[in-house]
Amino acid sequence: QSALTQPASVSGSPGQSITISCTGPSSDVVNYNYVSWYQQHPGEAPKLMIYDVNKRPSGVSNRFSGSKSGNTASLTISGLQAEDEADYYCSSSPTSSTLWVFGGGTKLTVL
Amino acid sequence: QVQLVESGGGVVQPGRSLRLSCAASGFAFSDYGMHWVRQAPGQGLEWVAIIWSDGHKKFYADSVEGRFTISRDNSKNTLYLHMNSLRAEDTAVYYCTRRTYGGNSFDYWGQGALVTVSS
């Protein structure tokens, strides 16, 4: 069982916006200042989409954005496109009591 | 461009050993920390181990501590994962990933190497 909880699945129609949450226990376990998000298409390696809560690597569409509030980090995808259909994972960097951890993953379906 | 290419995967019997390699190119390998992350069939991602850029610090997930050893050869731009006392639950695709410079995310990933532990 992961220290980070994500919904198993979310869905949306093309053009809509969706948000995937990533929730953990206290900040002793999860470093909410350094949450990152990864996209994984079937049969492919994961790809970094957001790092340090809300920063986008070069080449990642600005339709992808990250935020945090309290013990919850979120990934928002606006203007959904068919190619956004994939699994998404959040991850947190080390704290005094844990090392790197991943959330259980969220399957995004574009209807 | 950054490339990470894993090799050494295969089918191995429980209790046996296997070594994975990850050949890095397109960046200054010796400047970056490197991780191994694995993914069991149909499951999510699990962090396995990290090695600092100079190889002096290493940390492991509890599930592999004492059985797996991460190492690197900066002269060969290669990362390794030595896996001993393999168990069925170690069956997974193993990804070599680069630690973001000065940060804590995984910014580049290899294509993965499948390790199957089965008698």
Side-chain angles (χ1 to χ4, degrees):
Chain A
Q1 187 171 352
S2 174
L4 298 175
T5 299
Q6 300 179 230
S9 63
V10 299
S11 62
S13 299
Q16 288 186 332
S17 294
I18 63 94
T19 296
I20 299 172
S21 62
C22 175
T23 304
S26 69
S27 58
D28 287 344
V29 177
V30 178
N31 190 334
Y32 291 98
N33 292 319
Y34 295 100
V35 172
S36 51
W37 290 90
Y38 303 84
Q39 176 192 64
Q40 186 180 34
H41 289 109
E44 296 184 6
K47 174 187 176 183
L48 177 65
M49 304 302 285
I50 295 287
Y51 67 99
D52 294 354
V53 177
N54 55 15
K55 298 176 183 175
R56 268 190 316 275
S58 174
V60 172
S61 170
N62 60 8
R63 298 186 298 104
F64 291 82
S65 62
S67 63
K68 70 161 183 168
S69 176
N71 283 7
T72 298
S74 298
L75 172 71
T76 297
I77 309 173
S78 59
L80 269 180
Q81 299 179 1
E83 59 261 33
D84 299 332
E85 186 163 291
D87 293 326
Y88 291 85
Y89 296 89
C90 63
S91 176
S92 167
S93 63
T95 68
S96 58
S97 59
T98 61
L99 295 170
W100 282 266
V101 290
F102 286 96
T106 298
K107 181 176 181 60
L108 168 62
T109 300
V110 180
L111 303 171
Chain B
Q1 73 281 21
V2 172
Q3 278 201 308
L4 299 170
V5 180
E6 300 94 337
S7 61
V11 180
V12 60
Q13 292 179 329
R16 303 299 290 264
S17 300
L18 199 65
R19 188 186 78 168
L20 300 180
S21 300
C22 171
S25 61
F27 66 102
F29 181 72
S30 60
D31 286 347
Y32 287 83
M34 298 293 296
H35 298 265
W36 287 99
V37 173
R38 69 183 181 182
Q39 186 170 34
Q43 302 300 309
L45 301 172
E46 179 187 15
W47 176 79
V48 173
I50 183 176
I51 186 168
W52 255 237
S53 59
D54 59 8
H56 288 170
K57 281 187 179 179
K58 308 173 185 181
F59 295 97
Y60 300 90
D62 289 346
S63 57
V64 306
E65 178 83 57
R67 299 187 300 122
F68 289 13
T69 301
I70 189 171
S71 64
R72 64 191 297 159
D73 185 337
N74 285 345
S75 69
K76 296 182 178 179
N77 290 346
T78 303
L79 175 73
Y80 302 101
L81 185 67
H82 304 255
M83 303 181 290
N84 296 325
S85 303
L86 281 161
R87 306 166 180 167
E89 54 265 35
D90 295 319
T91 294
V93 173
Y94 285 75
Y95 294 102
C96 161
T97 80
R98 191 180 82 169
R99 181 180 185 179
T100 310
Y101 189 82
N104 279 308
S105 53
F106 312 86
D107 61 359
Y108 285 92
W109 297 65
Q111 85 288 349
L114 176 61
V115 174
T116 302
V117 184
S118 173
S119 53

